[in-house]
Each structure stands twice: as C-alpha cells, then as structure tokens.
Amino acid sequence: MNSHETGDLEIVDSSFSAIINAPFEKVDIPSWCFTLAEEEYRLCSPAHIAAGVTTAPDGRRMSINVETIGGTLMVQHYVETLSEKHHLVLESVSDLFPPSGRTTIHVLWELSVRRIDEHMCEFTNHVRSRATEEFKASLDRQGIPFDVFRAQRQPMSIAHNKGETPLFAASIERAALRN
C-alpha cells in the first residue's frame, strides 16, 4: 500500500493538551488507565457510557470503553502496545453500531505527559482513526463516498476529543495526587 492509499482511509487525527497540576513523577498514565473506575470514566465526557479492564488473548492489558460519538455507539477494545509511566499507546479495532449495521474502525489512542515544572505537567490526548476494509465495504454498499463520511465524522470526533481531554487531565491529576 503506498502512502496515498494509506492516508485515504484516515478518518481523523486529533490531538489536544491540558495542564495537570501535579508533579510529573506522580503521574502514571498506564496505572490510571487500567484502574479507571467506570464512574470516573463517565465523568470525563457526557458521551462516555461504560468502561472496564480485561486482557487480550495474548495477555496484554485491555481497556474496554463504550461511548457514543455523533450518535453512533462504539465499543472500543484498547490493547496496550506501548506502556511507559508517562506514555501509553493503545490500539483498538472498535465495534461501531450505526443504523446500517455493525462494523469496525481502527483506533490508535496515545496518551502522554511532559514535565512543565516541579508542580505541573502537560497531558496530550492524541486519537487517530482509520476505516477498516469492513467499514469501507459498508460505506460502499450504502453508496456513501468515504470523503463524505469523513467530512461528517471529523468535526464530531474532534469535538469529542477536545471536550474529554481536560477532563481526562483532571482525572489523571486526581489519581496522581492520591498516590
């Protein structure tokens, strides 16, 4: 696949940052992610429905998140692909339940934090999504051009990320200050 074909299936690439008022050394993103209580997850966005933790078939930790973005129910199966105290990368083939029937998209969720000073750090929430072949086929069956879908989906996904980022930062801050 060449880079043009690769970029052709990108739905969104969205990144936002927020301040965490806690020392860098106290922040542990994987610990926060894999111990996040469902109620705490729900406080991070009105679109968040449920969250839980399990393991992937290969034993890696997995965060299960259920949310609605743009009226579409999503069940995300985030498997850790990089897990460092200040940097977590999760990958999911997420189930979507649009009116046309169940399908999937690929989501890469990257959370990181960098030191600002002794008492503050900056949290970055970076979300990238791509259509799977299954999803592209679903659009094709409905006669929906991918570019039209992408143009409609991007603003909703970006708004969701922008809204949840400061709330995730506040949740990570609470967890860091408890430790």
Side-chain angles (χ1 to χ4, degrees), residues 23 150 167:
R150 180 174 36 214
L167 299 173

Side-chain angles (χ1 to χ4, degrees), residues 8-160:
D8 188 46
L9 294 180
E10 182 178 272
I11 299 168
V12 70
D13 185 339
S14 170
S15 184
F16 291 96
S17 296
I19 299 300
I20 294 175
N21 291 298
F24 180 75
E25 296 75 22
K26 289 191 166 238
V27 173
D28 186 333
I29 295 174
S31 176
W32 168 80
C33 180
F34 293 110
T35 62
L36 186 63
E38 182 172 84
E39 186 59 32
E40 185 76 8
Y41 174 73
R42 293 177 71 181
L43 290 173
C44 294
S45 173
H48 291 176
I49 298 167
V53 177
T54 188
T55 53
D58 65 6
R60 290 182 292 168
R61 293 183 290 186
M62 181 190 300
S63 173
I64 304 288
N65 297 344
V66 180
E67 61 186 348
T68 303
I69 299 178
T72 299
L73 181 67
M74 296 180 69
V75 179
Q76 299 156 330
H77 315 269
Y78 286 117
V79 177
E80 64 183 334
T81 59
L82 174 75
S83 187
E84 299 170 351
K85 188 173 179 184
H86 300 113
H87 189 196
L88 179 63
V89 178
L90 303 161
E91 195 168 349
S92 174
V93 176
S94 299
D95 294 306
L96 274 74
F97 298 88
S100 58
R102 182 179 180 170
T103 188
T104 60
I105 64 168
H106 181 263
V107 183
L108 195 64
W109 184 24
E110 182 174 8
L111 304 96
S112 61
V113 65
R114 69 170 187 84
R115 178 192 314 271
I116 293 176
D117 63 25
E118 312 254 319
H119 307 287
M120 290 184 349
C121 42
E122 182 183 56
F123 166 69
T124 299
N125 185 23
H126 187 186
V127 178
R128 289 167 280 199
S129 64
R130 292 179 37 77
T132 59
E133 289 302 323
E134 176 187 7
F135 187 80
K136 185 80 170 76
S138 173
L139 289 179
D140 290 346
R141 281 191 304 276
Q142 298 171 71
I144 300 171
F146 182 73
D147 289 345
V148 171
F149 167 79
R150 180 174 36 214
Q152 292 175 345
R153 181 67 178 197
Q154 277 183 348
M156 292 176 279
S157 294
I158 291 168
H160 177 78

Side-chain angles (χ1 to χ4, degrees), residues 155-175:
M156 292 176 279
S157 294
I158 291 168
H160 177 78
N161 189 10
K162 184 177 183 181
E164 74 184 359
T165 295
L167 299 173
F168 277 152
S171 177
I172 293 167
E173 179 180 304
R174 285 189 294 276

